[in-house]
Amino acid sequence: MNVNADNCLNHEDELQALREALQVRLDELLPAGQQQDLVYTAMREGTLVAGKRVRPLLLVLAARDLGCHADQPGLLDLACAVEMVHAASLMLDDIPCMDNALLRRGRPTIHRQYGENVAILAAVALLSRAFGVVAEAQSLSPACKTLAVAELSTAVGLQGLVQGQYLDLHEGAGARSAESILLANELKTSRLFDATLQMAAIVADAPPQARQRLRCFAQDLGQAFQLLDDLADGLNGTGKDRNKDHGKSTLVAMLGAEAVHQRLRDHLRSADDHLASACQRGVATRRFMHAWFDKQMAQFG
């Protein structure tokens, strides 16, 4: 895909404006001073600290590429709800009985700052708040909200994040087949991407063919994200603990970095094909994903 320099500059300006709008809206949905207890403080800390915001950006950009108006009421709230779910999942992933992480986004993890019990309660409260945000989203029809809640709840539960984390915890330390690793990756990562993109399609009233293509895109995208994360495990400057995968059964440990790099590139090509087929009215989502992965993969030299 050829994009000239002016378009790239305009795209970066748009992304920065979107990030700022998301930050403002997240702060409004979790307002400072509303409560003073540690659980609420931890909710704000885990959500408002600077992050990549990949999922909410994808939701807004994909909805626009599917024909949704840029100022569609409720769209930003759905994106914020997805970010709250993601933030909650990170809090739970990091606690001592899960991954026992010390760093997240370059800062001490929530359980290190506020205690494990507070981190768990803050994560549960964030999940609850996320579904409330969807239910209260302005100018979206009841049917639209119902479909959005269904997609998000599937991504979080036993068909998504919960089951993926369970498989990773209980099988990750032993020998696993490549298929088992891919399944865990799909549940942990692809399913939330799928819900994110389906929510965009719901708001845009996209046809079934486009929604199916977005599901295929999400599956490839999630695998690519997880492979990128595995490859970056030993690197400095990621904002997370180094070598957390040491001793775990990952595709990098099984196949080697070079083979995983090739798999990553294959997933990205497939993801781009699916996205191009689904979003034929715009290319903002494709530009975003190309630029994001180019930047992340540059760290490998």
Side-chain angles (χ1 to χ4, degrees):
M1 181 175 59
N2 295 320
V3 182
N4 64 41
D6 289 340
N7 284 340
C8 287
L9 182 60
N10 292 338
H11 184 60
E12 284 302 315
D13 290 342
E14 179 189 28
L15 289 178
Q16 184 57 34
L18 271 176
R19 289 190 182 96
E20 292 172 1
L22 284 163
Q23 192 71 10
V24 168
R25 187 58 181 148
L26 284 167
D27 189 53
E28 292 172 348
L29 293 169
L30 295 169
Q34 185 177 49
Q35 292 179 245
Q36 300 299 323
D37 60 82
L38 285 181
V39 171
Y40 191 72
T41 302
M43 290 170 66
R44 282 180 50 85
E45 168 74 17
T47 307
L48 294 174
V49 67
K52 300 181 181 75
R53 308 292 190 224
V54 172
R55 290 154 189 82
L57 287 172
L58 269 178
L59 193 154
V60 175
L61 293 173
R64 292 179 181 180
D65 282 347
L66 289 165
C68 190
H69 193 274
D71 297 323
Q72 168 69 40
L75 186 61
L76 202 61
D77 282 3
L78 295 188
C80 289
V82 167
E83 185 66 5
M84 288 179 188
V85 168
H86 179 56
S89 74
L90 298 182
M91 289 183 195
L92 293 174
D93 283 355
D94 289 341
I95 59 177
C97 68
M98 300 285 186
D99 292 342
N100 195 23
L102 302 179
L103 289 175
R104 174 68 69 178
R105 295 173 173 172
R107 298 166 64 89
T109 46
I110 295 299
H111 71 269
R112 287 185 64 207
Q113 294 187 58
Y114 303 105
E116 186 174 1
N117 57 351
V118 171
I120 293 170
L121 292 171
V124 173
L126 264 181
L127 289 172
S128 176
R129 182 71 181 113
F131 284 102
V133 168
V134 175
E136 297 163 4
Q138 295 182 354
S139 301
L140 297 182
S141 70
C144 179
K145 294 178 185 179
T146 298
L147 290 172
V149 165
E151 290 289 346
L152 200 54
S153 64
T154 298
V156 171
L158 283 174
Q159 294 174 294
L161 296 174
V162 169
Q163 185 69 8
Q165 182 70 355
Y166 176 81
L167 291 176
D168 208 39
L169 287 170
H170 288 265
E171 297 180 3
R176 289 192 289 179
S177 67
E179 291 73 20
S180 296
I181 296 171
L182 291 172
L183 175 60
N185 290 349
E186 179 181 349
L187 293 166
K188 285 177 60 179
T189 310
S190 296
R191 293 292 171 87
L192 186 55
F193 278 126
D194 185 25
T196 298
L197 292 156
Q198 292 304 310
M199 290 164 73
I202 289 164
V203 176
D205 195 24
Q209 297 91 333
R211 292 188 61 174
Q212 183 55 42
R213 284 291 191 173
L214 288 174
R215 290 199 189 278
C216 295
F217 166 65
Q219 188 170 29
D220 277 314
L221 180 62
Q223 294 292 347
F225 257 78
Q226 195 58 55
L227 293 178
L228 186 68
D229 190 64
D230 292 346
L231 286 166
D233 181 57
L235 298 179
N236 291 315
T238 63
K240 299 190 294 184
D241 299 0
R242 293 182 60 198
N243 300 315
K244 288 297 289 184
D245 289 342
H246 181 71
K248 286 182 63 176
S249 180
T250 67
L251 286 179
V252 175
M254 179 184 297
L255 304 175
E258 185 176 348
V260 170
H261 272 289
Q262 184 58 53
R263 282 188 175 230
L264 173 56
R265 289 189 287 269
D266 291 343
H267 279 300
L268 290 177
R269 279 193 293 269
S270 178
D272 189 59
D273 289 343
H274 289 306
L275 186 57
S277 178
C279 299
Q280 299 181 359
R281 302 187 190 183
V283 295
T285 315
R286 293 178 68 202
R287 277 203 300 260
F288 171 56
M289 294 315 307
H290 286 201
W292 194 90
F293 273 100
D294 285 347
K295 181 178 179 181
Q296 300 305 311
M297 292 175 72
Q299 65 189 317
F300 303 119

